[in-house]
Amino acid sequence: MSKINTLDALDKAAKKGRDLLFPSTKIRISIGMTTNSIAAGARSVYDAFLEEKKNKNMKFDMVKTGGMGFDSVEPIVDVVIPNKPRLAFAKVTVEKVPVLLEQVARLNLDRELPFYRVDEQEDIFTGETIQYVKGRLPRVFSKISLREEIPFYKNQLKVVTRNCGVIDPENMEEYIARGGYYGLHKALTEMKPDEIVQEIIDSGLRGRGGGGFPTGIKWRSCREAEGDIKYVICNGDEGDPGAYMDRSLMEGDPHSIIEGMIIGAYAIGASQGYIYVRNEYPLAVENLNRAVMQARKAGLLGKNIFGQKFSFDIKIAKGAGAFVCGESTALIASLEGRAGEPRAKYTHTVEHGLWDMPTNLNNVETWNNVPIIIARGSKWFSQIGTKTSSGTKVFSLVGKTNNIGLAEVPMGMTIRDIVYGIGGGIYNDREFKAVQTGGPSGGCIPKSLLDLPVGFDELADAGSMMGSGGMIVMDDTTCMVDIAKYFLDFLAKESCGKCTPCREGIRRMRSILEDICSGGGQEGDIELLKEMSDAIIDGSLCALGGSAPSPVLSTLRYFQEEYETHIKGKKCPAGVCKKLIKFRILDEQCNGCGKCRKVCPTRAATGSRREPHKIDQNLCIQCRACYEVCTFNAIIIE
Amino acid sequence: MNTENTMQDKVKEIVKKYKGDKSALVAILQDVQDEYRYLPKEALLTIHEQMDIPMARVYEVATFYDAFSLTPRGRFIIEVCTGTTCHVQGGMNLLDTFERSLRINCGETTEDGLFSVDRVGCLGCCSIAPVVRVNDTIHPQMTQDEIPRVLRTYMAKRYGR
């Protein structure tokens, strides 16, 4: 990679990238290669393509991209045929590869129908439309649905995730071809630092990590703070269970984070940056490291970026498995090589942060928004979303919906549109019960609030929070008391132990919930839980403790009846709490296949072949194995 | 050369890589953990001497973070994802079954040093929940009745079959 220090050099790199993204002669086949798609088999499919290419001496480019978002149909294979619509095939297996290749080569698409096609696409960075189809659309393509017609994609607006699943994250030129580093060039050569800060303030961008603090205001405070050295940090310690958009961005579009950070550093006056990545994300670390090296080689990190009097570099640090390190002061402690305990924020980190110097910390998705705000302007950005929450938000729509994956939508979309529109409704047509947002600091939103628009303030008013964007959809087989217990269990483990109310209080609350779930609930438990919640909220330094009771409070707010059924009726209506349920085999449904007998670890399930089986309640440990394995719906939970 | 000396040299080498930078303590411990799959006492003592960091501090950091272990870990580390999605899809039952099958508790290692069982925060593989990670391989949509087969596969790997 040659140096990129002028607009000309940037254009040249972009041209190279465009030739790869829109090949004029060769077919380009790309596979979304993320942690979850690899687990779903993407790597073996990738290898199968290479194998077939070698064996049949075929000519096409093979590329690994980031995640395409629609995770429940992975592995997804994306095919760009010169001058023809872009095609995507879903749930590709190794066996399907030869057929698929033959079809694409001959443009005969009958045997393995593509999942969708893309004829044209708006380049979000420039606002221009990219035409994939040159001339008339060949008839063979007309029976394939357009991507815009697929419910999962229909109402999405990909701003932050614009590059994920499109570009090869290992190739910087492809990033540049999609408008990358142009925002940086504009910021450094055409704008004063104050103007950049003002632009971010005007855009209305709020921190995507959870709190929703206005990003521009934070930048301004840090810019105005006194200090010889200033730092910018990217918080990639994504710990909320059920949220993985930051991982997807770090894996699929690392340069965008880097560009955002360089712009931020220039605006604030920082000279050193850190990206703190969660320990469980090895692929993200790998891709970020490579991207930082590439940017350094191109002169986009280092001294005199774009020939300006501005120098900046980035180091990558790996977390070591502590949820509390997602909290800014704990993260800084960890970066300094200490145990990640938060401190009281009498002075803000923007004034006294890393090494006691002014430090600006933003989340991955926040940094990712920066280049596009600079490139297209705050006015364009603030038009998206709602008045108080501008822009888009990436949600990880997971749990009991039909479609699972990362969905980016304008702020203000209703939960119903997300769950039933994008998510395609509840799996097996069961009943929607709640959606959990905000991770362990958030809460559960019930059916009655399905029409709530998602935004920072709306979710907070409903007793939950935006958090980092996890949306775990639950149906009638999810027990809300068990969920509350689950989060307290998580928090009890992750509490750093500094503040007594958090350390001891969460454990006590958990043991009350354990009692309730195992039939030992008592009159007055609910009141006690509420009282303890207040004490923990008041008595904790950081947001972990301050919001720890939220899962309990929100489930109590909307599902108190379910608590009462557990306490008074000693029953778990959802059939989850082990001590309150019994498994029974229905004689009329059981054909005596013996699967339950074989899988039962305690020999509680017995019976003769082809005769209805029985479960001995004295031996049963409610492990659920028989229930999972029975294909005749003969086992019921009482 | 005895093992203690080799370990000392190895740890010194790691410390040197970070130029004795005290803020790199977490990263140094990570490298040591990668090398030995746990943090041996001798290694911690060497770090304390080499970096001039009080032993109490080294110990504090080593015990604070979940990624570190002070006891030897198994050759195959089975981590059951306990993210919310895996939880609602029955992840906890998988953990119970692993514990029962291997006759160890979560956080422990089998006597032959082959398996450790642990829980891990969300791996972000919610679309294929519940998942179990064994070393670097993620097993999608795990069920309890698959567990004996998975364990057998890894046992066979030990004998090179």
Side-chain angles (χ1 to χ4, degrees):
Chain A
M1 165 85 48
S2 47
K3 287 269 174 216
I4 297 178
N5 44 17
T6 58
L7 192 60
D8 230 25
L10 205 54
D11 286 339
K12 257 185 210 153
K15 164 105 193 13
K16 270 193 199 161
R18 257 197 308 277
D19 289 346
L20 292 169
L21 286 174
F22 310 104
S24 52
T25 50
K26 255 194 210 167
I27 290 176
R28 170 186 163 106
I29 296 180
S30 50
I31 299 188
M33 201 73 90
T34 60
T35 305
N36 49 308
S37 67
I38 290 170
R43 185 160 283 153
S44 29
V45 171
Y46 180 85
D47 292 341
F49 270 106
L50 288 185
E51 183 78 16
E52 192 73 7
K53 182 179 171 180
K54 208 174 88 190
N55 289 348
K56 301 220 169 116
N57 202 11
M58 297 171 93
K59 284 196 176 68
F60 58 85
D61 284 331
M62 204 53 218
V63 183
K64 294 177 201 167
T65 65
M68 318 219 177
F70 202 164
D71 296 333
S72 49
V73 299
E74 268 175 345
I76 305 177
V77 171
D78 186 292
V79 182
V80 180
I81 312 168
N83 307 326
K84 299 284 183 309
R86 210 175 104 201
L87 300 176
F89 295 84
K91 288 191 178 170
V92 178
T93 55
V94 172
E95 294 74 40
K96 284 183 186 171
V97 169
V99 181
L100 207 150
L101 266 175
E102 197 191 299
Q103 284 195 150
V104 170
R106 292 189 185 170
L107 279 187
N108 177 343
L109 302 166
D110 290 338
R111 280 170 70 195
E112 203 53 62
L113 199 69
F115 185 44
Y116 61 77
R117 69 169 213 264
V118 183
D119 291 354
E120 56 175 37
Q121 195 183 358
E122 189 197 348
D123 183 342
I124 202 84
F125 233 98
T126 53
E128 288 164 17
T129 303
I130 305 159
Q131 296 287 347
Y132 282 100
V133 186
K134 300 270 156 67
R136 266 189 59 203
L137 182 77
R139 256 190 55 199
V140 19
F141 291 99
S142 53
K143 60 185 166 198
I144 306 162
S145 341
L146 280 163
R147 183 166 59 180
E148 300 83 82
E149 293 165 2
I150 307 257
F152 182 80
Y153 290 107
K154 202 154 90 185
N155 293 316
Q156 288 202 50
L157 177 63
K158 287 181 180 272
V159 175
V160 176
T161 53
R162 61 192 177 268
N163 287 330
C164 287
V166 180
I167 64 163
D168 176 359
E170 299 184 17
N171 189 311
M172 188 165 134
E173 280 146 350
E174 290 188 9
Y175 174 71
I176 296 172
R178 301 267 297 169
Y181 289 114
Y182 278 90
L184 175 67
H185 183 267
K186 180 179 169 187
L188 260 55
T189 56
E190 294 171 28
M191 296 170 86
K192 291 203 181 86
D194 283 324
E195 285 172 4
I196 298 172
V197 172
Q198 194 56 47
E199 194 75 358
I200 300 295
I201 293 175
D202 292 344
S203 74
L205 177 67
R206 293 173 69 173
R208 300 298 197 239
F213 191 81
T215 307
I217 306 286
K218 203 180 201 176
W219 286 22
R220 191 171 65 194
S221 315
C222 193
R223 175 165 172 76
E224 286 167 358
E226 272 175 48
D228 300 337
I229 304 174
K230 290 180 185 177
Y231 297 102
V232 291
I233 298 176
C234 170
N235 184 351
D237 193 48
E238 181 177 54
D240 280 6
Y244 57 101
M245 60 289 299
D246 291 351
R247 190 202 68 200
S248 185
L249 292 170
M250 291 187 282
E251 287 179 354
D253 196 12
H255 278 290
S256 182
I257 301 162
I258 294 169
E259 186 183 356
M261 287 178 77
I262 308 173
I263 295 172
Y266 174 69
I268 289 160
S271 53
Q272 179 65 48
Y274 290 90
I275 305 178
Y276 187 91
V277 191
R278 188 166 165 235
N279 181 45
E280 275 77 21
Y281 293 169
L283 186 60
V285 173
E286 191 188 320
N287 286 1
L288 281 168
N289 263 323
R290 187 188 302 103
V292 165
M293 297 278 267
Q294 286 169 342
R296 241 181 242 154
K297 260 193 183 157
L300 294 167
L301 283 175
K303 289 199 170 116
N304 303 102
I305 301 166
F306 277 124
Q308 306 294 309
K309 263 198 204 150
F310 166 63
S311 305
F312 176 69
D313 208 346
I314 291 175
K315 272 189 195 158
I316 313 250
K318 232 170 67 177
F323 173 72
V324 72
C325 286
E327 202 275 346
S328 57
T329 55
L331 188 151
I332 287 170
S334 180
L335 271 182
E336 292 173 354
R338 293 182 286 126
E341 283 182 4
R343 65 159 172 80
K345 291 185 190 168
Y346 307 118
T347 48
H348 293 288
T349 51
V350 287
E351 285 151 14
H352 296 279
L354 187 64
W355 312 118
D356 211 25
M357 288 296 160
T359 303
N360 179 77
L361 180 142
N362 288 123
N363 148 280
V364 170
E365 197 181 329
T366 314
W367 285 120
N368 237 306
N369 269 301
V370 171
I372 199 151
I373 293 175
I374 297 302
R376 293 206 67 177
S378 58
K379 218 174 188 178
W380 172 82
F381 186 83
S382 58
Q383 277 170 0
I384 308 169
T386 66
K387 246 191 182 151
T388 48
S389 306
S390 62
T392 59
K393 178 80 194 81
V394 189
F395 290 101
S396 56
L397 184 62
V398 298
K400 310 266 176 141
T401 47
N402 281 314
N403 303 334
I404 294 173
L406 293 180
E408 184 174 358
V409 297
M411 294 267 197
M413 189 180 264
T414 63
I415 293 175
R416 185 188 302 277
D417 285 343
I418 297 176
V419 172
Y420 285 91
I422 295 171
I426 309 298
Y427 185 66
N428 269 345
D429 278 330
R430 295 201 76 103
E431 200 176 325
F432 173 89
K433 186 169 186 178
V435 58
Q436 205 280 341
T437 68
S441 313
C444 293
I445 295 173
K447 201 176 173 179
S448 57
L449 292 178
L450 264 174
D451 289 310
L452 185 82
V454 289
F456 291 101
D457 310 318
E458 289 85 349
L459 286 170
D461 289 344
S464 183
M465 69 184 285
M466 179 76 84
S468 48
M471 270 199 182
I472 298 106
V473 178
M474 297 160 181
D475 65 6
D476 54 351
T477 62
T478 314
C479 169
M480 302 319 281
V481 188
D482 176 69
I483 286 297
K485 184 181 76 154
Y486 160 79
F487 279 114
L488 286 191
D489 196 36
F490 179 89
L491 290 160
K493 212 176 133 279
E494 296 297 346
S495 169
C496 77
K498 187 168 178 166
C499 311
T500 317
C502 171
R503 183 184 68 234
E504 302 301 328
I506 294 174
R507 284 191 206 169
R508 296 310 308 152
M509 282 179 77
R510 177 181 62 176
S511 75
I512 294 172
L513 285 174
E514 274 168 357
D515 285 346
I516 295 177
C517 289
S518 54
Q522 292 166 12
E523 199 78 33
D525 275 354
I526 292 177
E527 292 71 25
L528 187 57
L529 282 171
K530 286 181 180 165
E531 200 184 321
M532 292 180 75
S533 298
D534 290 341
I536 294 172
I537 292 169
D538 287 343
S540 305
L541 265 182
C542 82
L544 189 147
S547 61
S550 294
V552 178
L553 291 176
S554 83
T555 45
L556 272 174
R557 181 165 161 187
Y558 299 115
F559 301 95
Q560 185 155 344
E561 258 170 51
E562 204 168 333
Y563 278 81
E564 279 161 5
T565 316
H566 279 74
I567 296 169
K568 292 180 193 143
K570 310 290 177 204
K571 285 224 157 20
C572 175
V576 174
C577 298
K578 288 187 176 179
K579 295 267 171 66
L580 304 179
I581 54 169
K582 279 192 184 113
F583 290 85
R584 193 164 67 84
I585 299 176
L586 296 172
D587 284 357
E588 57 277 21
Q589 297 278 72
C590 178
N591 67 358
C593 73
K595 272 190 186 165
C596 56
R597 181 166 33 94
K598 277 177 209 140
V599 81
C600 179
T602 57
R603 301 203 176 130
T606 52
S608 322
R609 251 179 89 78
R610 301 215 177 89
E611 298 281 329
H613 281 46
K614 289 237 159 351
I615 294 174
D616 183 343
Q617 298 301 336
N618 293 322
L619 292 175
C620 179
I621 53 166
Q622 288 85 29
C623 74
R624 227 181 173 87
C626 58
Y627 182 80
E628 286 168 6
V629 87
C630 180
T631 41
F632 302 98
N633 296 327
I635 302 178
I636 55 160
I637 302 174
E638 292 180 324
Chain B
M1 203 190 278
N2 63 31
T3 41
E4 205 171 299
N5 271 339
T6 10
M7 187 183 284
Q8 267 190 13
D9 290 343
K10 185 79 215 168
V11 174
K12 276 182 193 168
E13 200 180 294
I14 292 170
V15 172
K16 214 172 157 190
K17 199 172 94 188
Y18 292 93
K19 301 181 183 105
D21 178 5
K22 286 184 188 178
S23 70
L25 181 58
V26 176
I28 288 168
L29 291 176
Q30 276 167 340
D31 285 5
V32 174
Q33 168 97 20
D34 281 349
E35 183 72 30
Y36 299 102
R37 283 187 306 198
Y38 80 110
L39 300 176
K41 190 177 167 189
E42 297 75 31
L44 295 183
L45 284 166
T46 312
I47 291 170
H48 145 70
E49 283 159 16
Q50 290 292 312
M51 298 182 68
D52 197 24
I53 296 175
M55 191 57 199
R57 270 280 313 285
V58 178
Y59 186 74
E60 184 199 10
V61 173
T63 51
F64 182 84
Y65 295 100
D66 281 354
F68 302 132
S69 169
L70 296 183
T71 49
R73 308 200 70 197
R75 181 161 156 208
F76 299 111
I77 298 168
I78 301 169
E79 291 170 299
V80 179
C81 178
T82 49
T84 320
T85 319
C86 288
H87 178 80
V88 300
Q89 309 277 34
M92 287 314 283
N93 291 325
L94 295 175
L95 184 61
D96 290 346
T97 308
F98 274 114
E99 288 178 329
R100 219 172 27 239
S101 311
L102 295 167
R103 297 201 182 85
I104 51 173
N105 290 320
C106 181
E108 293 178 354
T109 303
T110 51
E111 250 171 47
D112 59 2
L114 201 57
F115 293 109
S116 295
V117 175
D118 229 324
R119 42 200 276 177
V120 62
C122 185
L123 291 172
C125 293
C126 308
S127 60
I128 43 176
V131 299
V132 170
R133 181 167 71 180
V134 184
N135 292 358
D136 293 333
T137 309
I138 292 173
H139 294 265
Q141 278 152 347
M142 273 292 279
T143 57
Q144 292 185 65
D145 67 317
E146 265 182 273
I147 287 177
R149 191 184 51 78
V150 169
L151 289 177
R152 271 199 303 275
T153 326
Y154 286 99
M155 276 181 206
K157 274 191 187 169
R158 173 179 63 165
Y159 300 115
R161 261 183 278 159

